């Protein structure tokens, strides 16, 4: 069996960013699907990488996944990786596993070691988009819990994203989380995402100020490349710390794991290198007694399914991400979308990724240019730096 075509389909799900799907044909009539991570204003560059890399995949045996990815890095990219490269490689790799699973009539998790669990816990995200008022967060959180989720994630800090912030930003975050905790009760897990924005002094202050609400985790308090900053926060934070969505491949995670700079990693199957690479990263973390919680700011179809298959075979898995605003799109383009029930997704049993894509519907929803954002000018900045304080 040989690969005859690699196609990139950029689609718009009706909310925020475009999604990037990868479709691979074979001379045996088997078609595989995958999904590359996308980011607003950069999705065209990622799609271009899928198309360029795909030219070198045509003519190869889809079973030779490891060699295809090695050639992509060593020879195609000449060992100069990037976000765009890793996203493209991830989408292609998922589609190859989909083909292999269909060819062998096996779900992917059976081909990567077999399942260690029958269901995958998920947390809700996307439910608080553009909210500012604490009461709005609380009412929305109540609806999320009423729909069956037992865990939800949010970024409690006001914008803009800056390294040094005033005390008022921390106070507002405390008010927001307190209001949510009061609304959902003590048993629902609240996950906090800081989006790599803070200096350690502010991150530590924020973690201490929020600890009384017993958050499940404190995600990406600092830039993920600054291992020392992450380690400083982990050492002082009463909340478990997380990083990984902006790290790519085993090499990107090596410094974090060696220094035990966090308690949990969250690599994304659509940008870390794919299913097998995610398994390698998780295994390395397992040896350091670090948990793995795959990131999934992707659709609720292909990338979610790839995540579920990897998580099923991952001993140190704890929870993964489900973006509620992409759910309607997933139901349109997928005949059997993965749907959480009481906060868990049951493992798909079909071959490959177990997802039946309606290609006609996918092609009817082409990507759209992302609207130009109003980014700050110097006069918009103002005095934002503040000294750390523990008085909240």
């Amino acid at each position: 069996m040989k690969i005859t075509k690699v196609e990139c389909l950029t689609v718009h799900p009706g909310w925020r960013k475009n999604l990037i799907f990868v479709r691979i044909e074979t001379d045996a009539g088997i078609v595989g699907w995958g999904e590359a991570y996308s980011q607003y204003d950069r999705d065209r560059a990622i799609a271009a990488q899928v198309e360029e890399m795909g030219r070198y995949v045509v003519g190869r045996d889809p079973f030779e996944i490891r060699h295809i990815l090695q050639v992509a890095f060593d020879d195609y990219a000449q060992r100069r990786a990037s976000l765009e490269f890793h996203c493209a490689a991830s989408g292609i790799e998922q589609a190859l596993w989909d083909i292999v699973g269909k060819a062998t009539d096996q779900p992917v998790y059976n081909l990567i070691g077999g399942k260690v669990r029958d269901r995958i816990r998920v947390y809700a995200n996307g439910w608080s988009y553009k909210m500012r008022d604490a009461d709005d967060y609380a009412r929305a959180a109540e609806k999320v819990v009423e729909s069956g989720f037992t865990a939800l994630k949010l970024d409690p800090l006001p914008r803009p994203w800056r390294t040094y912030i005033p005390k008022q930003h921390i106070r507002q975050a405390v008010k927001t989380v307190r209001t949510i905790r009061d609304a959902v009760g003590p048993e629902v897990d609240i996950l906090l995402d800081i989006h790599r924005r803070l200096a350690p002094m502010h991150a530590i202050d924020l973690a201490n100020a929020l600890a009384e609400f017993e958050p499940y985790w404190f995600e990406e308090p600092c830039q993920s490349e600054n291992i020392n900053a992450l380690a400083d926060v982990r050492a002082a934070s009463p909340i478990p710390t997380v990083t990984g969505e902006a790290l790519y491949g085993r090499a990107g995670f090596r410094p974090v794991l060696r220094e035990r700079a966090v308690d949990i990693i969250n690599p994304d199957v659509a940008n870390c290198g794919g299913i097998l690479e995610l398994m390698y990263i998780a295994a390395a973390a397992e040896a350091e007694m670090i948990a793995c919680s795959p990131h999934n700011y992707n659709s609720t179809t292909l990338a979610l399914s790839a995540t579920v298959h990897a998580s099923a075979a991952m001993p140190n898995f704890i929870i993964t991400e489900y973006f509620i605003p992409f759910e309607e799109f997933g139901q349109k383009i997928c005949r059997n979308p993965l749907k959480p029930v009481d906060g868990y997704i049951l493992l798909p049993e079909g071959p490959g990724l177990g997802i039946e894509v309606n290609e006609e519907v996918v092609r009817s929803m082409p990507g759209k240019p992302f609207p130009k954002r109003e980014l700050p000018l110097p006069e918009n900045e103002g005095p934002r730096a503040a000294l750390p304080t523990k008085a909240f």
Side-chain angles (χ1 to χ4, degrees), residues 81-117:
S82 65
L83 166 67
E84 291 76 15
F85 168 84
H86 284 292
C87 292
S90 299
I92 289 171
E93 194 260 12
Q94 292 169 38
L96 294 176
W97 276 113
D98 195 32
I99 291 170
V100 170
K102 290 172 179 175
T104 59
D105 196 29
Q106 290 290 328
V108 170
Y109 55 78
N110 276 353
L111 304 176
I112 56 174
K115 63 184 180 182
V116 297
R117 58 184 57 83

Side-chain angles (χ1 to χ4, degrees), residues 308-324:
V308 164
H309 280 268
S311 300
M314 189 184 298
N316 57 330
F317 167 83
I318 52 173
I319 196 169
T320 193
E321 189 165 22
Y322 183 92
F323 259 85
I324 292 176

Side-chain angles (χ1 to χ4, degrees), residues 50-63:
V50 174
E51 293 166 358
E52 295 297 331
M53 193 183 301
R55 296 189 301 147
Y56 298 92
V57 176
V58 171
R60 294 179 178 270
D61 184 339
F63 276 78

Side-chain angles (χ1 to χ4, degrees), residues 289-308:
M289 301 187 74
I290 292 173
C292 186
S293 171
H295 178 265
N296 191 50
Y297 179 26
N298 307 299
S299 80
T300 58
T301 58
L302 294 165
L304 176 63
S305 185
T307 300
V308 164

Side-chain angles (χ1 to χ4, degrees), residues 100-285:
V100 170
K102 290 172 179 175
T104 59
D105 196 29
Q106 290 290 328
V108 170
Y109 55 78
N110 276 353
L111 304 176
I112 56 174
K115 63 184 180 182
V116 297
R117 58 184 57 83
D118 288 326
R119 58 180 187 163
I120 304 300
R121 191 182 184 205
V122 295
Y123 61 83
N125 204 353
W127 57 275
S128 61
Y129 182 54
K130 287 190 174 181
M131 289 183 181
R132 288 185 172 86
D133 185 77
D135 289 333
D136 291 338
Y137 277 98
R139 301 293 80 77
E142 286 176 333
K143 292 180 181 179
V144 170
V145 174
E146 288 169 2
S147 70
F149 288 94
T150 61
L152 49 86
K153 188 167 85 172
L154 74 148
D155 183 335
L157 286 169
R159 289 176 181 261
W161 295 6
R162 291 297 181 265
T163 307
Y164 308 101
I165 59 172
K167 302 170 187 177
Q168 290 82 353
H169 283 202
I170 295 182
R171 292 187 179 122
Q172 183 171 332
V174 170
K175 179 181 178 182
T176 296
V177 177
R178 176 184 288 114
T179 307
I180 293 172
R181 175 55 78 202
D182 289 343
V184 301
E187 301 306 319
V188 173
D189 286 317
I190 299 175
L191 292 70
L192 304 176
D193 191 352
I194 312 304
H195 286 110
R196 306 171 294 284
R197 56 168 108 172
L198 296 181
M201 63 179 179
H202 296 310
I204 292 167
D205 271 358
L206 181 60
N208 285 326
L210 294 172
E212 66 174 291
F213 310 114
E214 299 183 315
Y216 187 85
W217 76 31
F218 194 56
E219 181 180 337
E220 298 212 298
C222 310
Q223 283 283 359
S224 52
E225 299 88 349
N226 194 324
I227 307 303
N228 291 336
L230 286 170
D232 287 348
V233 175
R234 186 204 176 206
S237 172
I239 311 169
T241 57
V242 185
T243 202
E245 70 174 86
L247 298 175
Y248 315 114
R250 282 163 282 175
F253 282 84
R254 183 169 176 261
V256 173
L257 299 177
R258 288 187 67 185
E259 298 300 324
R260 297 191 52 79
V262 293
D263 302 286
I264 304 162
I265 57 168
N266 66 332
D268 192 313
V269 74
N271 70 28
C272 77
I275 293 171
L276 199 57
E277 193 71 14
L278 175 56
M279 296 298 295
Y280 290 148
I281 293 166

Side-chain angles (χ1 to χ4, degrees), residues 315-385:
N316 57 330
F317 167 83
I318 52 173
I319 196 169
T320 193
E321 189 165 22
Y322 183 92
F323 259 85
I324 292 176
F326 290 140
E327 188 174 65
E328 183 178 350
F329 166 78
Q331 293 169 349
K332 287 180 181 178
I333 65 103
C334 184
R335 297 183 178 92
N336 58 340
L338 302 180
K339 176 68 177 175
V341 177
D342 297 329
Y344 288 85
I345 291 176
L346 295 177
L347 300 187
E349 297 180 351
L353 293 180
I355 291 291
E356 299 176 19
V357 177
N358 188 325
E359 185 176 332
E360 182 179 353
V361 178
V362 169
R363 293 185 184 275
S364 72
M365 304 176 72
K368 299 178 181 180
F370 193 78
K372 183 180 177 182
R373 293 172 283 175
E374 294 296 326
L375 302 182
L377 297 169
E379 55 265 32
N380 304 132
E381 292 294 339
R384 290 198 171 87

